[in-house]
Amino acid sequence: MIENHKPKIGVYVCHCGSNIAGTVNVDDVRKWAQEKLGPEGVVIARDYKFMCSSLGQELIEKDIKELGLERVVVAACSPHLHEKTFRTAAEKAGLNPYLTELVSIREQVSWVHTDKAIATEKAKSLVSGTVQRIAYNTPLEKQKVPINANTLVVGGGIAGIQAALEIANAGFHVYLVEREPSIGGHMAQFDKTFPTLDCSACILTPRMVEAGTHPNITLMTWSEVTNVSGFVGNFDVRILKKARYVNEDVCTGCGICTEKCPKKVIDTHYEAGLGYRKVVYTPFAQAVPRFPVIDRPNCTFFQKGTCKACEKFCPTNAIDFKQEDEFINITVGNIILATGYDLFDAGRVTNYGYGRLPNVFSSIEFERLSNSAGPTGGEITLRDGKTKPETVGIIHCVGSRDKNFNNYCSSICCMQSLKFAHIVRERTGADVYEFYIDMRTPMKAYDEFYQRVLDEGTLFVRGKVAEVTNAARYPHEKGKLIIHVEDTLVGKQRRIPVDMVILSNGMEPRHDAKQTGQTFGISCSSDGWYIERHPKLDPVSTMTEGIYIAGCATGPKDIPASVAQGAAAAARVLDKILQKEVEMEPIRASVIEENCSGCRICNSMCPFNAIAFIGDLKVSRVNPALCQGCGTCVAACPAGAITGTGFSNEQIFAQIDGLLMTV
Amino acid sequence: MTDTFEPVIVGFTCNWCSYRAADAAGTARVKYAPNVRLIRLMCSGRLDPAFVLKALAGGADGVLISGCHPGDCHYIEQNYKALRRFLLLRRTLKGFGVEPERVKLVWASAAEGVRLAHEINAFVEEIRKLGPLNWPKWDNQSGRDLPADIEPQPIEEVPA
Ligand SMILES: Cc1cc2nc3c(=O)[nH]c(=O)nc-3n(C[C@H](O)[C@H](O)[C@H](O)COP(=O)(O)OP(=O)(O)OC[C@H]3O[C@@H](n4cnc5c(N)ncnc54)[C@H](O)[C@@H]3O)c2cc1C
Ligand code: FES
């Protein structure tokens, strides 16, 4: 068909204001396409200021109708931005959407090159490649698959809880999977929350309880997702439910087991190492669910075979030492990842002495210290648990905005430091110094909080602290921690002796964020946070259809922003569920059975088991419902018997020819 | 243009990571050598070695192949298959008398626009050092000598 009939092609070159026209001679590209690509089927070439505007789109629609265009090539921005726009426009004029292609002469030419002549030549060759290719494009129909209405939310911090509640309240089922014994995330560890200073537990607990009792939420704590397969609409998920050694069906959460357990261990997780917990425990009083877990590696019964105090005293016989890890398989249509953050390990900044100088505290330690349910009942004391500090230094940006550690700003540390200063002054009356590089308080009511802390008499020193030391040089420094800093506003080096140092260490991606990302098929930025589909316009979606991200898993943020993202991700999921079916790109492989020799090389190539060998016919066949269109089998078939829509050999060979036409 | 040799390079990227890395380089206005012309595939696993041969035969001096990092492929593990083909292809090219360095594989995630740009620049420099390939002109009539070192090489193990 190509031999005797070249399809009529229209070429449209976009100026994108000066974004393209500033570096590419658009007029020259248009003329060249009209003249040199005429023999390839180009019947019309135009340029226009903004092709994506409605006027630009109408230009295409009109030409399709009036000139009978059979293919449309738009040289503009990346297909990831506007392919859909132009395909929809062409479709409106009656042309199958897959007969329109975008050539990226902005992201791949004008924005990355400077020499106008060279950029123009490159633009021509890219246009020529696509013009050659598009002659071989075939009309395709989108496929529709039904969407499973269940949703998986991974991570039960405030972001995940919010997402789960939104979806459950809309009437759809949610599986909320949390790896710790209780939901709540980091927020459960705090006493007060900036800028309003409302009590963290008071605002969080009702949400946790609602999530724990909601008829549409299946809560799975002490559990982790181990495997995900399938695609948007139908993901098969395997969940490891770790043994709690407590029978959830009969446990009433009375707490007698914890009371009777004779063994205490240091709680490095929830209490940040400042307090103890029993071996059979719930991490905190308001934990949801209320069932305890037995910490097997520390349990005397599991170590020595004796004890069983918890079992003896349990009034409902809920302790079950024989319980085993279980795997549970579920099917869901969409997934939200709200796995949050890890704290930067303050000990890595060795010159601040965390871990070496006892009275240097990390941010989360201070949160526990100031928490009325914490190890000191909310008393702010030095490491000895008794002495009240008289002077306190708070150091900002520990591990953040630092080339040696993380380049990014953790965004909440200025505010958390101000909160600490307020709490210290309120509870101890101590003098407080804050050492900051820049004060960042941009959100609602944040700067007002800063003003309030200023008015309360906290002292601010602008400068990055060089060192915290206990090596006194002067008599008044004896027994103190000395903060050595360059005060950049005064232009002087200062040594400020204090009793207590609080490091405002920032956030880091979860240590296992990359593995978790791989399980769900999404990737991390170079800093390690999950990448959004678009940083501004699509901040809760990922490149993988049906997988959404929310909260601090995508980068540092405060509670209001985490909650907003949880709700936003839920809205995206509800949108998908209510559509009832999802359109799949019709990019699929298929076997030309006459050419198939039955060698079955392709069978093992497919990661989705979409290719089966038909024994009677001795040929392989692709199941289009399972095929995802990667094209590996197309490339692998030694007989050339497999073809892939959208990316056929003919299309790519033609594109190579076209790209090299100008050589 | 000056008399320095400007190589022509055809690049193949997957749709999910490396094409988006190119997008990211654009959005961030990272400047790189204009010698590369990219073709988008759905996955690096779609790369048929014939595409590379076709590009080299059609006048390209080098071919860049780019996909998601190992473990990050949108189709689970197809980039490992691309890696295997790449290694075999380099061996085949050697047999044809073409420097295997003319084909390069780069893993680039969607966030690595800057890295992709650096890799492109480095590759252009490498090819510039190798000089033009001019494969289309290699025939007996043209009198051009085939590169000398085409003795059979010991077969190396190709990692899976
Ligand atoms: C010291 C400090 C003080 C702060 N104070 C304030 C404040 O006063 N006001 C404010 O607005 N913000 C504050 N913030 C910020 C606040 O902590 C975050 O914005 C918020 O907690 C983010 O919630 P999240 O749900 O995204 O993450 P997280 O709270 O980290 O929750 C994530 C949850 O996911 C679970 N999880 C992780 N990985 C997996 C997995 N693979 N499988 C299953 N579950 C998993 C975790 O166990 C956790 O429960 C503070 C931060 C710090 C460090
Ligand atoms: S999708 Fe990028 S390599 Fe497979």
Side-chain angles (χ1 to χ4, degrees), chain B residues 13-83:
Chain B
T13 67
C14 78
N15 181 50
W16 303 99
C17 287
S18 38
Y19 193 86
R20 287 175 201 261
D23 277 358
T27 311
R29 317 295 202 269
V30 181
K31 304 290 181 247
Y32 59 85
N35 309 54
V36 175
R37 302 157 190 197
L38 297 181
I39 293 181
R40 177 166 65 122
L41 304 173
M42 285 314 273
C43 173
S44 62
R46 174 66 183 92
L47 188 99
D48 189 328
F51 299 163
V52 178
L53 298 176
K54 164 103 184 162
L56 294 176
D61 302 296
V63 173
L64 181 78
I65 304 165
S66 187
C68 311
H69 283 273
D72 283 355
C73 173
H74 195 73
Y75 307 95
I76 304 172
E77 53 181 24
Q78 306 304 64
N79 46 2
Y80 290 99
K81 285 159 194 154
L83 172 65

Side-chain angles (χ1 to χ4, degrees), chain A residues 20-228:
Chain A
I20 293 171
T23 318
V24 171
N25 186 336
V26 170
D27 196 43
D28 193 22
V29 175
R30 176 189 54 78
K31 267 198 219 131
W32 183 86
Q34 181 91 57
E35 283 161 22
K36 289 282 165 20
L37 299 177
E40 311 303 329
V42 172
V43 293
I44 183 79
R46 298 184 194 275
D47 62 282
Y48 191 69
K49 271 234 152 321
F50 287 104
M51 279 309 300
C52 62
S53 68
S54 50
L55 288 176
Q57 295 183 41
E58 279 162 23
L59 217 59
I60 298 177
E61 290 168 34
K62 197 159 153 260
D63 285 350
I64 294 175
K65 288 189 195 132
E66 290 178 3
L67 303 175
L69 294 184
E70 294 156 286
R71 303 284 190 275
V72 172
V73 174
V74 186
C77 51
S78 164
H80 290 300
L81 211 63
H82 270 310
E83 185 176 77
K84 201 168 171 197
T85 314
F86 293 111
R87 286 188 166 171
T88 313
E91 195 173 16
K92 263 205 282 180
L95 191 66
N96 181 283
Y98 295 90
L99 302 179
T100 295
E101 293 275 357
L102 222 63
V103 187
S104 173
I105 61 166
R106 192 179 72 174
E107 281 80 352
Q108 283 181 29
V109 182
S110 67
W111 277 353
V112 289
H113 304 321
T114 39
D115 183 306
K116 197 157 183 176
I118 295 177
T120 307
E121 286 314 302
K122 179 167 169 185
K124 284 178 190 170
S125 98
L126 295 185
V127 169
S128 148
T130 304
V131 164
Q132 298 274 21
R133 161 196 227 278
I134 205 168
Y136 296 90
N137 278 25
T138 48
L140 302 173
E141 295 306 328
K142 283 210 165 156
Q143 298 179 344
K144 294 194 169 155
V145 287
I147 289 202
N148 183 311
N150 299 335
T151 305
L152 168 68
V153 176
V154 184
I158 189 61
I161 293 176
Q162 181 72 26
L165 285 175
E166 299 273 351
I167 297 169
N169 286 339
F172 298 100
H173 199 85
V174 178
Y175 297 92
L176 178 54
V177 173
E178 165 61 53
R179 67 150 71 121
E180 296 299 330
S182 169
I183 55 174
H186 281 100
M187 214 182 142
Q189 291 173 283
F190 308 156
D191 186 50
K192 298 258 183 302
T193 54
F194 61 74
T196 45
L197 297 177
D198 29 11
C199 139
S200 190
C202 315
I203 55 179
L204 177 66
T205 314
R207 291 296 169 95
M208 289 167 55
V209 171
E210 201 184 337
T213 53
H214 204 295
N216 286 337
I217 297 181
T218 306
L219 184 58
M220 301 166 93
T221 54
W222 206 232
S223 302
E224 269 178 79
V225 173
T226 57
N227 199 48
V228 178

Side-chain angles (χ1 to χ4, degrees), chain A residues 502-558:
Chain A
I502 306 167
L503 302 179
S504 232
N505 45 326
M507 300 187 180
E508 282 203 326
R510 286 275 175 200
H511 61 280
D512 58 350
K514 198 163 164 67
Q515 281 127 275
T516 310
Q518 287 180 352
T519 306
F520 290 90
I522 65 169
S523 41
C524 301
S525 69
S526 44
D527 288 328
W529 306 104
Y530 292 133
I531 308 180
E532 0 4 34
R533 181 173 275 257
H534 191 284
K536 298 181 203 97
L537 300 180
D538 212 351
V540 295
S541 303
T542 65
M543 310 287 185
T544 306
E545 220 31 61
I547 311 256
Y548 300 88
I549 44 181
C552 290
T554 75
K557 53 182 68 65
D558 56 10

Side-chain angles (χ1 to χ4, degrees), chain A residues 275-449:
Chain A
Y276 295 92
R277 65 158 166 76
K278 292 291 183 64
V279 167
V280 50
Y281 70 105
T282 48
F284 49 98
Q286 304 88 339
V288 170
R290 57 190 191 285
F291 320 123
V293 290
I294 293 179
D295 168 9
R296 179 174 176 144
N298 281 313
C299 171
T300 313
F301 172 72
F302 281 113
Q303 283 170 343
K304 305 210 178 101
T306 56
C307 179
K308 290 194 171 188
C310 49
E311 192 186 55
K312 271 174 227 139
F313 289 99
C314 176
T316 58
N317 288 327
I319 302 289
D320 175 7
F321 289 109
K322 292 209 186 66
Q323 214 176 53
E324 282 178 14
D325 292 353
E326 271 183 83
F327 282 98
I328 294 169
N329 296 317
I330 58 170
T331 309
V332 296
N334 295 281
I335 298 174
I336 298 174
L337 284 182
T339 48
Y341 61 96
D342 275 344
L343 276 151
F344 174 81
D345 172 7
R348 284 170 63 200
V349 190
T350 46
N351 38 335
Y352 292 170
Y354 179 78
R356 181 163 47 87
L357 304 172
N359 290 321
V360 177
F361 288 81
S362 70
S363 57
I364 200 71
E365 282 180 330
F366 183 81
E367 288 288 355
R368 293 312 301 155
L369 211 54
S370 63
N371 195 307
S372 46
T376 57
E379 295 279 328
I380 300 194
T381 65
L382 299 184
R383 195 73 69 173
D384 63 11
K386 298 194 292 267
T387 321
K388 286 216 165 149
E390 282 166 16
T391 38
V392 176
I394 302 174
I395 304 178
H396 288 219
C397 301
V398 176
S400 313
R401 306 180 67 208
D402 184 334
K403 284 217 167 81
N404 301 312
F405 304 102
N406 295 313
N407 285 325
Y408 53 81
C409 164
S410 279
S411 92
I412 48 104
C413 319
C414 281
M415 283 303 288
Q416 102 193 353
S417 309
L418 292 170
K419 173 174 80 172
F420 295 169
H422 170 84
I423 295 176
V424 171
R425 283 196 65 78
E426 187 184 64
R427 305 223 182 129
T428 66
D431 289 334
V432 181
Y433 291 89
E434 296 239 3
F435 300 88
Y436 67 102
I437 314 178
D438 297 295
M439 191 56 77
R440 297 189 168 174
T441 53
M443 306 310 286
K444 193 171 181 180
Y446 281 15
D447 211 60
E448 292 87 325
F449 186 71

